[in-house]
Amino acid sequence: MDFWTVKNITGRILVGLRWWNHIDEDGKSHWVFESRKASKKKHLETASESRLFWLSLVICPVIWIFFLFTSLIKLKIDYTLIVIIGISLQGANLYGYVRCKVGSKKQLSGIATTFLGQQILRSTLSGKTTADDTN
């Protein structure tokens, strides 16, 4: 119930994002990730609603991971299956909404590459300035 509610109602109302899987007539699976355009907003979401949505979306998988470690430590192996299902559903929700927010997989990969390049550049420049300072 929680997965369905977050995926189909809360995401669309609070942040204007939704995603789903569509199977065409040939039997091929197509994933659709949508973001509401700024000009078509019927409901103006506030920054606090958006923060609440993203915070809860990130915290839920963390809680499920805590439950996983707890079930493994207490040797409650029968609960581990339920916890793994919870982690996979919450992880799918998080992944789906990140894809909606950021864009296509190509854009997501480009953002990661840009971030990595910026980090390498910063570390190189900071290493160079510390080397120049010692000379």
Side-chain angles (χ1 to χ4, degrees):
M1 181 69 174
D2 179 51
F3 176 79
W4 184 87
T5 304
V6 170
K7 185 180 143 338
N8 292 309
I9 298 172
T10 313
R12 188 174 14 182
I13 293 172
L14 289 180
V15 291
L17 303 172
R18 67 180 180 165
W19 61 275
W20 70 91
N21 183 12
H22 170 71
I23 300 176
D24 62 9
E25 291 131 7
D26 298 332
K28 293 182 182 177
S29 177
H30 300 280
W31 288 93
V32 181
F33 303 95
E34 290 185 345
S35 174
R36 182 172 48 207
K37 298 195 184 328
S39 62
K40 294 183 179 180
K41 286 186 180 178
K42 293 181 181 177
H43 176 269
L44 295 173
E45 67 267 0
T46 64
S48 62
E49 288 174 340
S50 180
R51 273 193 304 269
L52 176 68
F53 175 80
W54 287 105
L55 183 67
S56 63
L57 198 63
V58 170
I59 286 179
C60 283
V62 172
I63 292 170
W64 279 109
I65 290 171
F66 172 75
F67 288 155
L68 176 68
F69 288 127
T70 304
S71 68
L72 290 174
I73 289 171
K74 291 185 176 186
L75 299 174
K76 302 271 186 179
I77 304 302
D78 50 340
Y79 293 121
T80 304
L81 179 61
I82 295 170
V83 171
I84 289 173
I85 291 170
I87 290 172
S88 63
L89 289 174
Q90 289 293 330
N93 241 352
L94 180 61
Y95 177 75
Y97 281 115
V98 167
R99 286 281 307 266
C100 290
K101 182 76 173 171
V102 174
S104 69
K105 191 174 186 179
K106 186 183 289 185
Q107 289 174 334
L108 188 61
S109 150
I111 288 172
T113 304
T114 303
F115 176 75
L116 183 61
Q118 289 174 347
Q119 294 301 321
I120 291 171
L121 183 63
R122 283 185 191 153
S123 67
T124 304
L125 290 177
S126 67
K128 185 178 180 182
T129 56
T130 56
D132 290 341
D133 294 340
T134 57
N135 290 334

